Amino acid sequence: MRSDAAQGVAWALGGGLIVYASWAMDRLERHGAALYTAPGLVPGLLGLVLVVLGVALALRKRGISACSPAIRWGNTPLVLALCLGYAIGLIGRMPFWLATFVFVTAFIAIFEYPSRRRMALAPLYGAATSLAVSNLFEAVFLVRLP
Amino acid sequence: MFEGLILFGRSIGGFLTAESILWALGASLVGVVIGALPGLTATMGVALMTTLTLKMAPAQALLVLVCTYVGAIYGGSRSAILLNIPGTPASAASCLDGYALARQGRAGYAMGIATTGSVMGTLIGMFFLALFTPLLGNVALKFGAYEFFWLATFGVVISGNLTGDDPLKGWMAGALGLFLATIGQESVYAFERFTFGTRELAGGLSLVPALVGAFGFAELLMVMRERRPPVTLSALDSVIPRLRDLWKYRRTIVRSGCIGTFIGIIPGVGEDSAAWTSYAAAKRASVEKALFGKGSVEGLMAAETGDNACVPGAIIPVLTLQIPGSAPAAVLMAAMLIHGVRPGPLIMVESPQFVYDVITMMLFAVIGILIYGLVLTRFLVQVLRARYQVIVPIIFVLCAVGSFAIAARLFDVWVMLAFGVLGFALRLLNYPMAPLVLGLVLGDLLEKSLRRGLVLSDGDVTPFFTRPISAFLCALLVLIVLSRFIRWRPRANRAV
């Protein structure tokens, strides 16, 4: 998926799907809609643009970046798991202040490992963030938090 | 002329309250801190602050957003000078001479020059904002659906052309943004498109959560990708700017201010192009060409003046055409719409006061960055030592709760997450984000203009190509696209 050619094919296929879905979309002719007012007109044209650009990307010759260097993921999977876990798994299933405390504390503790002194500060940051954000949104902005 | 001055005076009078001043100073500081932290951009700052200011009165909320925007563009120079890492893409040009000056033991002096340049750039941009907005507003009154269609297309194409290393990928990101804007009910028959039966998608993708995801969450994922080495900072000398520098480089300041503003006016281009173009123009005209890249005060002054002058410049088309000049301006425009402000060709007819309100907001931001630039230097240097392990989860909580707060529904949090992952993936594959944002923001205008134009001409497409302004914009677009296909070379110096 990293080379321009593979990306171009993916874009062209995605664009093709959009064109197909737009063409198959109800044209509302029974409501007297002309072809140029059909709901699928603009997305269809944009799908076509993506197909053309995808083909251009797949076919072009660009020495140095035709194949990008390997992507370094680093901490990404862990960060992504923590953030998604908080936003999908915790928010809405427990009080907001608790979810935020758990998330911030866990995040800092994991990424500050192995510094015990900094890990020990994680619950403090968690509590402060949870208290500040909850109060700010509920008391000042009058938002009912999940 | 006098009417403008009266309106400006009235705006200043309106904002001269303790509350407004505190909001302005606080927001400028938040902007400077966000801008100073590498990886966090002005667009992210404005998007995040949009969610935090939803419940505020429109004037105060927009004051906060404008101050954040100006502060963030200025704040990027801190890390550019001290760490050789641009805090925001707009400050990339400042690394060349700013860091060289810091290595010569003149980091404080370089920051003083950056402050001077940023303040002067914003002031010049404000002058042009006051001058050009009424003029452009009058011209915009002649625009119809056909012209707006081309303007929206132009914004996305030019943004794709100039904001990344690869125009083809920029255009693809722009087209994707335009497509994503079509999700939900269309405007003529309220027909649901690409909603897959999801009730929450019927109204379309919420713009602010999408922007918070594409810039906030995606940027957090980028900055956490690698552990950064401990920050080593240069010693500081005096940060007080010298008047003789201001006088010595007056031509550079005026030239860079004009270039920055005019690049800002071009839809979708943005601050980084303004900084690079100003820098290149200063180098061409300088008698000290050899010093550029080795610690040229003039080079740093040009880059900082250019990028900050671009901010008011980018707001001119927002106010007059409802077309943003840069990615942060696109978010600002979305915030204006949320707060019930309707920018566009009629703004000088319906609410001319608002134009001068924006100028006053910028004036407050300038005062803010001047104070922080001179007084809080050591604090701002310490900000660069901030640990991302602590900042990132806190910002993510704000991204999530801010997205939720807009309509009190969890679906918007999921939109934020989806756009965060999408934005992260696109960044990894070297797709620029600015065209995606422009596409999302301009998609509605593009579709409405195209369909309205076709209805007006009963399906005939010739008015899109034969009306004078439409024909000009169309020809310009074709030229821009063709020029890329004919001479297709990556630009090597855009280390953004």
Side-chain angles (χ1 to χ4, degrees):
Chain A
M1 273 306 292
R2 286 198 303 276
S3 72
D4 280 356
Q7 286 174 46
V9 170
W11 280 103
L13 284 175
L17 273 177
I18 294 170
V19 172
Y20 172 76
S22 304
W23 183 256
M25 206 176 273
D26 192 341
R27 282 169 225 153
L28 304 175
E29 281 148 335
R30 64 187 178 282
H31 295 296
L35 187 65
Y36 55 84
T37 61
L41 174 72
V42 174
L45 288 174
L46 289 169
L48 207 58
V49 169
L50 284 175
V51 170
V52 172
L53 293 176
V55 169
L57 185 66
L59 295 181
R60 76 174 177 185
K61 289 174 185 166
R62 278 187 69 179
I64 52 165
S65 70
C67 193
S68 316
I71 292 171
R72 284 172 308 196
W73 292 100
N75 295 321
T76 308
L78 186 54
V79 176
L80 203 56
L82 284 167
C83 291
L84 294 181
Y86 168 66
I88 298 172
L90 297 184
I91 293 183
R93 292 174 203 270
M94 60 174 73
F96 178 79
W97 62 267
L98 182 60
T100 301
F101 172 76
V102 170
F103 167 67
V104 175
T105 305
F107 194 104
I108 295 174
I110 288 170
F111 283 101
E112 290 292 15
Y113 179 81
S115 167
R116 287 191 180 178
R117 191 178 61 82
R118 290 198 179 121
M119 285 173 74
L121 289 174
L124 283 180
Y125 285 120
T129 308
S130 168
L131 202 68
V133 174
S134 302
N135 275 307
L136 180 71
F137 277 85
E138 287 190 323
V140 181
F141 299 153
L142 306 176
V143 174
R144 249 186 70 194
L145 292 173
Chain B
M1 173 74 182
F2 288 112
E3 191 192 351
L5 284 175
I6 292 167
L7 290 171
F8 184 46
R10 200 178 290 162
S11 287
I12 290 182
F15 280 104
L16 265 184
T17 61
E19 191 188 0
S20 297
I21 293 169
L22 281 175
W23 279 122
L25 291 177
S28 302
L29 182 60
V30 169
V32 173
V33 170
I34 288 175
L37 290 169
L40 309 185
T41 62
T43 315
M44 181 221 184
V46 179
L48 200 55
M49 292 304 279
T50 300
T51 65
L52 299 179
T53 51
L54 282 173
K55 306 284 176 179
M56 290 170 70
Q60 304 285 17
L62 294 173
L63 172 69
V64 167
L65 298 179
V66 168
C67 290
T68 306
Y69 183 6
V70 176
I73 295 297
Y74 163 70
S77 64
R78 308 288 96 173
S79 49
I81 292 167
L82 294 169
L83 304 177
N84 199 24
I85 303 170
T88 62
S91 300
S94 303
C95 287
L96 297 179
D97 291 303
Y99 187 63
L101 282 167
R103 291 189 64 182
Q104 294 164 16
R106 301 168 78 196
Y109 177 57
M111 287 202 278
I113 291 293
T115 304
T116 311
S118 298
V119 167
M120 294 309 296
T122 313
L123 289 175
I124 292 170
M126 283 162 55
F127 170 75
F128 284 119
L129 177 60
L131 188 71
F132 285 151
T133 304
L135 297 176
L136 197 57
N138 280 336
V139 175
L141 285 172
K142 297 187 177 72
F143 284 22
Y146 310 102
E147 287 78 15
F148 275 109
F149 167 76
W150 285 117
L151 262 182
T153 313
F154 184 81
V156 175
V157 171
I158 197 90
S159 176
N161 214 36
L162 294 177
T163 54
D165 297 333
D166 186 345
L168 191 55
K169 288 188 171 180
W171 297 333
M172 293 170 109
L176 179 66
L178 288 171
F179 166 70
L180 291 171
T182 66
I183 291 174
Q185 288 180 343
E186 46 84 47
S187 56
V188 180
Y189 302 103
F191 184 83
E192 288 186 13
R193 298 177 300 194
F194 306 106
T195 59
F196 305 105
T198 312
R199 195 162 41 90
E200 286 92 342
L201 274 178
L205 289 166
S206 304
L207 198 54
V208 174
L211 297 176
V212 169
F215 281 92
F217 185 29
E219 282 175 16
L220 298 181
L221 290 172
M222 289 301 284
V223 297
M224 284 301 290
R225 202 153 61 104
E226 287 172 17
R227 285 180 190 254
R228 288 169 188 269
V231 171
T232 314
L233 298 172
S234 319
L236 289 183
D237 53 333
S238 170
V239 296
I240 308 295
R242 293 182 299 200
L243 277 179
R244 69 185 151 105
D245 285 330
L246 207 61
W247 181 250
K248 185 178 175 186
Y249 298 115
R250 62 191 183 281
R251 286 197 184 89
T252 305
I253 291 170
V254 172
R255 186 194 315 110
S256 306
C258 294
I259 290 172
T261 310
F262 284 99
I263 286 184
I265 294 173
I266 301 170
V269 180
E271 291 80 11
D272 51 339
S273 295
W276 284 113
T277 313
S278 303
Y279 185 83
K283 190 175 178 181
R284 262 198 305 277
S286 176
V287 290
E288 304 167 337
K289 285 188 184 68
L291 279 178
F292 276 68
K294 296 171 188 157
S296 164
V297 174
E298 191 176 6
L300 179 60
M301 183 79 91
E304 283 300 309
T305 308
D307 65 8
N308 266 77
C310 184
V311 176
I315 293 177
I316 295 173
V318 167
L319 294 176
T320 52
L321 300 166
Q322 228 185 82
I323 305 267
S326 66
V331 185
L332 185 67
M333 189 179 100
M336 284 181 187
L337 296 174
I338 288 172
H339 283 287
V341 176
R342 294 206 59 80
L346 288 174
I347 194 145
M348 288 311 292
V349 180
E350 290 174 346
S351 48
Q353 184 69 58
F354 181 70
V355 175
Y356 294 92
D357 286 351
V358 172
I359 296 168
T360 306
M361 292 170 193
M362 297 233 151
L363 185 63
F364 277 51
V366 166
I367 295 168
I369 61 174
L370 192 58
I371 292 171
Y372 299 134
L374 300 181
V375 179
L376 285 187
T377 310
R378 293 196 185 274
F379 163 74
L380 291 175
V381 168
Q382 290 308 315
V383 164
L384 298 179
R385 294 187 197 273
R387 297 182 64 75
Y388 281 96
Q389 293 92 323
V390 175
I391 295 173
V392 166
I394 298 171
I395 296 180
F396 182 73
V397 168
L398 291 176
C399 289
V401 75
S403 301
F404 174 83
I406 293 167
R409 54 179 197 170
L410 278 172
F411 183 77
D412 288 334
V413 179
W414 303 339
V415 169
M416 182 275 291
L417 292 174
F419 271 82
V421 174
L422 175 72
F424 175 67
L426 289 177
R427 275 162 212 255
L428 283 183
L429 296 170
N430 205 24
Y431 290 85
M433 284 292 98
L436 181 82
V437 172
L438 265 288
L440 271 171
V441 173
L442 293 177
D444 186 50
L445 178 71
L446 183 140
E447 173 162 24
K448 278 182 182 160
S449 302
L450 176 65
R451 294 174 78 181
R452 195 175 294 153
L454 286 171
V455 169
L456 286 172
S457 61
D458 203 17
D460 181 9
V461 294
T462 50
F464 284 95
F465 305 99
T466 51
R467 285 165 62 106
I469 300 173
S470 290
F472 171 73
L473 288 170
C474 175
L476 203 58
L477 259 178
V478 171
L479 273 177
I480 288 167
V481 173
L482 284 183
S483 71
R484 283 296 177 175
F485 277 103
I486 291 166
R487 195 169 56 85
W488 209 331
R489 276 188 303 183
R491 280 167 293 159
N493 63 342
R494 296 282 295 275
V496 183

